């Protein structure tokens, strides 16, 4: 049986298409990186920082806009501090009052110590008078026995001794009272000094609250969005701004068990973003999960999701980021390539072409 040329033409066309597709696939396959490389899908991420108020209050003003680059320590917003200033003024007044009380206590101590010294001198005087009265009584007793002195004189001398003894006891009581007064004055001074310390601590606390009312950037980065506007009243911890630290930019991706076990910290990673497929960005592995997990549903197909995967993080060189801050954007999707075989060479289309 002979087949007409007209019937053979469609068949030859089909064969040619299949053959061309096969050889084309082989050429593309030959261009692939090979078994010594593995890749994972991910998105560019960065450390996010919420700029929030520590105390409840009203937002006075916000000094930056969405997308602004800010330096570490730069003031981004202010909270109203009228109440805090009043509290600081009150604490400063209490501090001055405590200082005055401490000075008064010191003066009282000096006065009481002077009274104590006077009382001690009086005791010495009364003891001297008692000694003289005792000597006179002794002479009177001798003269009375010899009949040279009357009994009245002897009784008078005895009365003088008893009076001198009472005066000595009273003087010693005055010394004890003066000593107690000195102790009380010193206690008042100690209390005043404690009040000074407490008032200063209150001033420092209120001043710290006032300083915290100036919301500053803890790191250099870029403002993502404003969460509050001037005039809004926020509770403690209320978010005013959200910013990203552009020195800490990374991509998180997932690798299968067989590949994750061959990935080491510090290993080179080459990232290709969908937005710039012609650029290959260098990065380093900074984290490999210690436990496996199912691949998120957003990654690959159902068959891939059934496999246990390990989460890997690759951080982009901070110096490279500083050179291109204006181009850094979070959320960009891409592919992270990891070289598993140290003896393999990076293919030409995976060679880094961005200067570090």
């Amino acid at each position: 049986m002979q087949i007409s040329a007209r019937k053979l033409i469609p068949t030859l066309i089909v064969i040619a298409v299949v053959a061309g597709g096969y050889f084309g696939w082989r050429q593309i396959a030959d261009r692939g990186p090979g078994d010594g490389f593995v890749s994972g899908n991910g998105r560019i991420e960065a450390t996010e920082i919420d700029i929030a108020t520590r105390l409840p209050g009203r937002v006075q003003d916000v000094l930056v806009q969405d997308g602004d680059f800010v330096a570490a320590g730069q003031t981004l917003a202010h909270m109203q501090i009228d109440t805090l200033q009043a509290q600081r003024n009150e604490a400063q007044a209490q501090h001055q009052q405590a200082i005055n009380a401490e000075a008064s206590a010191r003066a009282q101590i000096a006065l009481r110590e002077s009274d104590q010294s006077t009382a001690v001198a009086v005791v010495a005087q009364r003891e001297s008078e008692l000694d003289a009265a005792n000597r006179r009584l002794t002479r009177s007793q001798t003269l009375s026995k010899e009949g040279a002195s009357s009994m009245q004189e002897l009784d008078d001398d005895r009365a003088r001794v008893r009076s001198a003894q009472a005066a000595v006891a009273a003087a010693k009581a005055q010394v004890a009272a003066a000593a107690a007064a000195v102790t009380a004055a010193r206690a008042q001074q100690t209390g005043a000094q404690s009040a000074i310390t407490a008032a200063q601590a209150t001033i420092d606390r209120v001043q710290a609250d006032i300083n915290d009312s100036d919301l500053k950037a803890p790191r250099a980065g870029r403002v993502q969005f404003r969460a509050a506007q001037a005039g809004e009243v926020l509770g403690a911890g209320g978010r005013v701004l959200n910013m990203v630290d552009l020195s800490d930019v990374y991509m998180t991706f997932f690798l299968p068990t067989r590949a994750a076990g061959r990935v080491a910290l510090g290993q080179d990673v080459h990232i290709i973003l969908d937005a710039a497929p012609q650029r290959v960005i260098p990065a380093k592995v900074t984290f490999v999960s210690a436990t496996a997990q199912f691949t998120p549903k957003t990654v690959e197909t159902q068959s891939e999701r059934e496999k246990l995967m390990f989460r890997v993080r690759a951080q982009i060189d901070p110096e490279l980021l500083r050179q291109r801050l204006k181009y850094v954007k979070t959320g960009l999707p891409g592919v992270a390539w990891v070289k598993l075989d140290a003896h393999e060479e990076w293919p030409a289309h995976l060679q880094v072409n961005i200067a570090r």
Side-chain angles (χ1 to χ4, degrees):
M1 179 183 296
Q2 295 183 349
I3 301 175
S4 66
R6 182 176 297 176
K7 293 182 178 180
L8 284 175
I9 291 175
T11 303
L12 292 175
I13 292 175
V14 171
I15 293 173
V17 171
V18 172
Y22 173 76
F23 286 110
W25 175 84
R26 288 298 303 270
Q27 289 180 354
I28 295 174
D30 290 342
R31 293 176 59 201
D35 294 336
F37 297 84
V38 67
S39 66
N41 296 332
R43 290 181 180 272
I44 293 295
E45 302 176 58
T47 299
E48 293 191 12
I49 305 170
D50 284 336
I51 307 300
T53 175
R54 189 172 65 85
L55 300 171
R58 187 183 302 276
V59 180
Q60 179 172 315
D61 54 37
V62 181
L63 306 179
V64 293
Q65 301 294 331
D66 297 353
D68 286 353
F69 288 90
V70 297
Q74 179 180 337
T75 301
L76 307 180
H78 296 107
M79 302 295 293
Q80 287 188 359
I81 58 173
D82 296 345
T83 302
L84 293 175
Q85 288 176 333
Q87 291 177 356
R88 182 181 59 184
N89 293 339
E90 180 182 6
Q92 289 173 339
Q94 292 175 347
H95 182 260
Q96 186 59 49
Q97 184 179 8
I99 291 176
N100 295 338
E102 196 271 341
S104 177
R106 280 190 283 108
Q108 286 295 318
I109 290 174
L111 178 62
R112 299 309 177 191
E113 286 177 342
S114 177
D115 292 343
Q116 184 180 25
S117 299
T118 301
V120 169
V122 171
V123 168
Q125 180 182 358
R126 297 295 181 256
E127 286 178 340
S128 177
E129 292 174 353
L130 174 61
D131 181 64
N134 282 326
R135 288 196 299 269
R136 182 170 180 171
L137 175 61
T138 300
R139 288 194 297 272
S140 296
Q141 289 173 340
T142 301
L143 293 174
S144 177
K145 290 178 181 179
E146 295 175 353
S149 175
S150 65
M151 292 298 297
Q152 183 62 46
E153 291 178 352
L154 180 60
D155 291 339
D156 291 343
D157 290 338
R158 286 173 177 169
R160 291 190 184 94
V161 168
R162 288 193 293 270
S163 177
Q165 289 174 340
V168 169
K172 289 182 177 180
Q174 288 294 327
V175 171
V182 170
T183 301
R186 286 175 178 169
Q188 289 179 351
Q189 183 186 29
T190 301
Q193 289 173 341
S194 298
I196 292 173
T197 302
Q200 185 61 55
T202 302
I203 293 173
D204 295 341
R205 176 184 59 78
V206 176
Q207 186 60 52
D209 291 342
I210 291 175
N211 294 340
D212 283 343
S213 297
D214 291 341
L215 306 185
K216 299 181 179 181
R219 306 180 190 177
R222 184 173 60 208
V223 177
Q224 287 209 113
F225 58 86
R226 294 168 54 160
Q229 303 298 328
E232 292 187 31
V233 177
L234 303 178
R239 184 170 61 172
V240 179
L241 296 164
N242 177 272
M243 61 174 288
V244 290
D245 179 6
L246 298 181
S247 66
D248 185 16
V249 179
Y250 54 89
M251 175 179 281
T252 299
F253 56 97
F254 291 83
L255 295 179
T257 304
R258 62 176 179 79
R262 300 169 62 184
V263 176
L265 295 179
Q267 193 164 336
D268 286 336
V269 177
H270 291 183
I271 297 174
I272 300 177
L273 299 178
D274 294 353
Q278 74 282 5
R279 297 295 185 185
V280 179
I281 304 170
K284 295 283 187 182
V285 174
T286 57
F287 171 81
V288 179
S289 176
T291 57
Q293 64 187 78
F294 287 102
T295 312
K297 294 181 179 181
T298 55
V299 179
E300 299 300 340
T301 63
Q302 178 64 34
S303 61
E304 290 295 322
R305 292 199 297 270
E306 293 173 355
K307 300 177 182 179
L308 286 175
M309 308 285 277
F310 283 80
R311 183 164 57 92
V312 181
R313 175 183 292 182
Q315 184 162 3
I316 300 175
D317 185 0
E319 182 60 31
L320 176 62
L321 294 170
R322 279 191 287 269
Q323 296 173 7
R324 294 170 170 80
L325 283 180
K326 294 183 178 179
Y327 300 98
V328 178
K329 297 177 180 65
T330 58
L332 294 177
V335 179
W337 286 92
V338 183
K339 184 172 65 172
L340 301 178
D341 189 346
H343 301 290
E344 291 278 357
E345 294 293 335
W346 287 99
H349 66 285
L350 291 182
Q351 292 283 348
V352 173
N353 55 14
I354 290 184
R356 290 180 183 269

